[in-house]
Amino acid sequence: MELFQKKTLIAALIGASLLSTSAMAHNDATNKRLTAADAQAFLENAQAEIEKIQTPAAHAQWSYATNINMDTAAVSAYLNEVYSNKVAQFAKEAAKFNDVQVDADTRRKLNLLRNGLTMPPPADQKKSERLAEINSKLEGMYGAGEYCRTEDDCINLVDMSAEMATSRDKDLLLEYWKGWREVSVPMKELYSEQVAIANEGAKELGFKNVSELWRGKYDMPADEFPKELDRLWGQVQPFYESLHCHVRAKLGEHYGEDVVPQDQPIPAHLLGNMWAQTWGNIYDLVKPEQEMKVPDVTKALKEQNYDELKMVKQAESFFSSLGFEELPETFWERSLFQKPEERDVQCHASAWNLDDKDDLRIKMCIQKTGEEFNVIHHELGHNYYQRAYKDQPLLYRGSANDGFHEAIGDTIALSITPKYLKQIGLIDTIPDESNDIGMLMQVALDKIAFIPFGLMVDQWRWKVLSGEVTPENYNKVWWELRDKYQGVMAPVSRDADAFDPGAKYHVPANVPYTRYFLAHILQFQFHKALCDIADDKGPLNRCSIYGSEEAGKALNEMLEMGMSQPWQDALEKLTGTKQMDASTIQAYFAPLKKWLDEQNQGRQCGW
């Protein structure tokens, strides 16, 4: 479930920036000659040049994603390289205007362009080439990674993850957990070299290091941003600790307290996920003992003859009920809803706008399940956001901060409640509130369990990118942070040369992770604001904004802003406050928190 945007290529495709030193060189005398008019002319040209190449690059990327073969791969790689070269060039040119007095709008565009790179290449051609080579190697090592018991018995990540989701064999779970972390050991030296080279590139852009670049993308001082995240975590922490206490106790009952000590962090291999980032797969071990009446959406879809197209049409009708314009005909002609038999495709669900205007599409191999029904609503949330900001200047076509896009999709999915399912005729009756504990537990095991993981990944990375944590301490600090935030521990002692962070895709691929933490906070804040506007008087977890044009209007007014204003202003537009607030999570999960506290009486909580 993710978003495809051309601007994501700025972050992901830094690989081939082969800019000559002479082209980038500039001195104080040159800077003094630059004016505000020069900055505006530069921005107009940069946006025009980027726009010229980004659409064919996006089409090539779509062709590759929906028809994987040697030719589409070659064309996509070439155009992405051309595109990333151009963006890297303009990012460095934007840095020339760091000390030029310009108006606020011009400064915002310059900063967005300068901050667009994730691992910025230095001007030195050999170092830039080396950075690209390392980036490619790290992604390749992760993608080709396997755990091999013997030369002829190797298991890939997909198969191991499927086993870890369902198996309750603690020895097998430990074997796979350890096996996958063998893949990342050779990454450590390359990763360290990559950090050093990228930090040179960051300094050329006017940053102290890559850590400051990453933390500086959020319309507030870079050093203040981590404090803001910890404030939000403090609002969620009491509920998380109640969930953690219950889950640890139930795992102790199942595996024995010698395996799951009740006064220590939870061993990471027992939580149903390779990274212990979501816990939904162990619902059967921790669920309430009493039977819960939860709507079986998968069964209802089958009984009412929903096919893939009808599922998407129903999701579109959700947005139409809010007053949004229907999707263009080209959406239905060009999207991929089913896995073709005759070719390989990337089935991972994603939302696209190929021309930054009206060429909206989704790509997913839809399964006729209740989970996929939710995912479709989520992906269309991205599409409607993309269309809302299409008339903004190029550099403002994106979400207010990188957490907003994922949050919007998830906000819409939060309205897929029994109330909504009854309104559209998928169920006949709404279960009473006594059945909510089971549903809330399922949601919490995925969303609340994820929040501290979503926070700590970049907490670790910022320390690494700034040089505060050196390679010999990479793994040590990783597990210190997992202990601090998640209450999760390595199930066995880790070797000094281990590189467990590299076992998570987003680390070797250099994909910033704070966006996911923010999305998990913002979605509940957005949901609360929209439910208030829709005048829904019931419990927050039972609210659906379906049919509320007032809520749709308020939502669209925020979406239309794109990145044109600081995210605080976009947030205020919808919620009435400039401050992110996780207290709505407490309201949403209030019945579950009460139930957990009752279950935890007499238990030893904390770690």
Side-chain angles (χ1 to χ4, degrees), residues 285-475:
L285 297 181
V286 304
K287 67 182 180 181
E289 293 181 8
Q290 63 268 38
E291 187 176 345
M292 295 286 169
K293 294 179 181 176
V294 179
D296 187 339
V297 179
T298 301
K299 181 181 177 184
L301 291 169
K302 182 178 181 180
E303 289 175 347
Q304 299 193 30
N305 297 315
Y306 270 73
D307 59 13
E308 296 84 356
L309 183 62
K310 188 175 179 182
M311 290 170 72
V312 182
K313 287 282 189 183
Q314 181 58 60
E316 181 196 32
S317 76
F318 183 103
F319 291 90
S320 298
S321 81
L322 303 180
F324 286 90
E325 183 184 348
E326 291 184 348
L327 293 164
E329 276 303 309
T330 52
F331 172 87
W332 305 103
E333 295 165 1
R334 300 168 183 171
S335 289
L336 178 78
F337 301 138
Q338 295 174 281
K339 187 180 187 308
E341 292 183 7
E342 74 282 3
R343 64 182 193 268
D344 291 328
V345 301
Q346 294 174 0
C347 277
H348 187 74
S350 55
W352 301 56
N353 187 356
L354 275 75
D355 63 358
D356 265 357
K357 295 297 179 187
D358 294 302
D359 195 355
L360 303 165
R361 310 180 191 182
I362 62 171
K363 172 189 64 62
M364 60 185 293
C365 306
I366 297 172
Q367 307 297 308
K368 288 174 276 192
T369 66
E371 181 180 0
E372 294 277 278
F373 191 56
N374 278 25
V375 172
I376 295 167
H377 286 73
H378 173 99
E379 296 304 335
L380 291 192
H382 287 308
N383 282 145
Y384 283 93
Y385 201 168
Q386 290 166 325
R387 185 163 69 178
Y389 56 61
K390 68 177 183 177
D391 294 327
Q392 291 284 355
L394 176 87
L395 290 169
Y396 290 160
R397 293 176 206 155
S399 60
N401 69 36
D402 57 6
F404 271 59
H405 239 303
E406 289 298 326
I408 294 301
D410 281 346
T411 299
I412 298 305
L414 287 175
S415 274
I416 313 304
T417 60
K419 175 183 174 182
Y420 167 64
L421 297 174
K422 185 175 186 299
Q423 284 175 300
I424 63 174
L426 269 177
I427 62 174
D428 295 325
T429 58
I430 302 174
D432 66 58
E433 293 181 18
S434 66
N435 295 278
D436 288 0
I437 300 301
M439 181 195 74
L440 288 170
M441 176 66 84
Q442 289 176 318
V443 176
L445 288 170
D446 282 331
K447 293 185 181 289
I448 302 305
F450 174 84
I451 287 175
F453 183 81
L455 176 61
M456 62 75 50
V457 171
D458 280 352
Q459 296 278 356
W460 174 84
R461 203 152 34 177
W462 294 337
K463 293 176 185 293
V464 168
L465 295 173
S466 70
E468 179 185 340
V469 173
T470 51
E472 62 269 20
N473 290 317
Y474 279 178
N475 224 53

Side-chain angles (χ1 to χ4, degrees), residues 581-599:
D581 182 13
S583 67
T584 48
I585 289 176
Q586 299 165 17
Y588 187 93
F589 290 99
L592 179 61
K593 176 67 162 68
K594 181 174 180 289
W595 183 86
L596 286 170
D597 289 344
E598 292 169 355
Q599 305 303 305

